[in-house]
Amino acid sequence: MVVALHERGLFGWAEWAERLSAEVKRPEAAADGSDYYERWLAALERLLAEKGLAGHDEVDAVAAAWARAAHATPHGQPIVLENDPESAPSLSAATP
Amino acid sequence: MAARVRALETILTRKGLIDPEAIDVIVDTYETKVGPRNGARVVARAWSDPEFADWLKRDATAAIASLGYSGRQGEHMQAVFNTAETHNLVVCTLCSCYPWSVLGLPPVWYKAPPYRSRAVIDPRGVLQEFGLTLAANKKIRVWDSTAELRYLVVPQRPADTDGWSEDKLAELVTRDSMIGTALAREAA
């Protein structure tokens, strides 16, 4: 995703490396680097929020929708966002 | 964490900033197509062709691109050649800058804080932990990668490989030998 966004010209690679470096250097980062992907995600979220491309609240909301969708999806079936009971258009349309 | 990654992908796709299919192509490229075999071909060519080796020394970005391997992030490449006197070791102290186009995705230890800090402070000790003990009089140069400049170590050509084809030579070139945490394999 980072590579794709960079290729769209949304940020420079040096800009990205700077954010990633700042995240992995934070005092709460695991000393053994086991949280590298969490740091990577945090760096991407910060960068996107600063660029106004995806705000923190927006990501929270859609992530919650994905989590609800995952719970609502029967085991063995692919999880799709439409399975979120709170955002399904048919349900919201039926609500008076 | 997975839900947040999916959320980002959903938001960016809705806004037309990314195309999930394009991402699949990128992932597939780095998982299955780009790997240290690319770098091994570069090294084997340098061992076989002095003119190419010279080009690689002067302008690694262009020499490597001539074999069809170029970076996606516009980064420059520098090739550092091991000699009888000097061994080269690559690290990224800031994060994990790595020459993806020739080595693929970095190994876990390359991204881990112990390697990133200790490769600079105590390179000889780190190499010993990798099972590589260098003569005390051998100099070690440590190269710190950045987003703009990535390094490829060209290991020394193993003895008793005169007349070998590039393909056969490339088999002696391991990923770690191109990071500098190992030497090329011995001729069997």
Side-chain angles (χ1 to χ4, degrees):
Chain A
M1 214 183 307
V2 171
V3 171
L5 290 166
H6 168 259
E7 287 181 3
R8 282 288 304 259
L10 295 169
F11 47 78
W13 200 259
E15 200 179 0
W16 161 251
E18 210 174 275
R19 296 316 154 93
L20 178 59
S21 166
E23 283 300 327
V24 298
K25 265 201 301 232
R26 290 167 82 86
E28 65 268 28
D32 62 356
S34 57
D35 62 349
Y36 196 83
Y37 290 101
E38 283 87 342
R39 299 286 120 212
W40 180 287
L41 177 61
L44 179 58
E45 283 197 36
R46 258 168 219 267
L47 187 56
L48 293 176
E50 278 170 40
K51 301 257 172 200
L53 298 171
H56 190 75
D57 294 345
E58 194 180 4
V59 178
D60 279 349
V62 180
W66 269 111
R68 286 192 302 268
H71 282 293
T73 304
H75 187 71
Q77 286 180 26
I79 300 166
V80 292
L81 198 49
E82 288 69 33
N83 288 357
D84 170 21
E86 287 183 31
S87 73
S90 54
L91 284 183
S92 47
T95 311
Chain B
M1 186 189 173
R4 295 197 76 80
V5 174
R6 286 227 188 184
L8 282 182
E9 194 172 1
T10 305
I11 293 166
L12 297 168
T13 304
R14 280 182 191 155
K15 293 186 177 173
L17 296 172
I18 55 170
D19 170 3
E21 280 177 34
I23 291 188
D24 287 345
V25 171
I26 293 171
V27 171
D28 181 58
T29 301
Y30 285 106
E31 281 187 344
T32 64
K33 298 195 178 72
V34 178
R37 291 303 87 207
N38 289 4
R41 294 217 63 86
V42 173
V43 171
R45 173 69 58 88
W47 284 347
S48 315
D49 177 351
E51 266 181 44
F52 182 82
D54 192 49
W55 188 16
L56 190 62
K57 242 177 233 169
R58 282 184 288 110
D59 184 357
T61 310
I64 292 170
S66 76
L67 297 181
Y69 315 135
S70 36
R72 300 177 81 102
Q73 288 112 33
E75 70 272 24
H76 289 279
M77 289 291 308
Q78 184 176 338
V80 290
F81 289 68
N82 286 348
T83 64
E85 296 80 33
T86 308
H87 182 83
N88 295 286
L89 179 66
V90 179
V91 66
C92 173
T93 57
L94 281 180
C95 43
S96 55
C97 298
Y98 189 73
W100 293 4
S101 58
V102 278
L103 296 187
L105 297 175
V108 172
W109 54 259
Y110 187 85
K111 300 182 280 190
Y115 179 77
R116 289 176 19 233
S117 57
R118 293 192 46 235
V120 175
I121 301 165
D122 178 22
R124 215 169 280 272
V126 168
L127 290 179
Q128 271 173 0
E129 284 164 35
F130 275 93
L132 177 58
T133 305
L134 295 174
N137 62 355
K138 190 141 192 168
K139 276 185 288 193
I140 302 177
R141 282 198 74 169
V142 181
W143 302 83
D144 194 359
S145 311
T146 67
E148 289 93 6
L149 184 60
R150 324 271 173 106
Y151 300 95
L152 177 73
V153 174
V154 180
Q156 282 184 282
R157 180 172 176 158
D160 306 318
T161 55
D162 289 352
W164 282 32
S165 70
E166 273 184 46
D167 283 349
K168 205 170 162 197
L169 285 170
E171 286 170 22
L172 301 179
V173 187
T174 62
R175 178 196 68 197
D176 287 4
S177 74
M178 293 180 281
I179 304 175
T181 53
L183 305 179
R185 289 193 186 106
E186 301 282 318

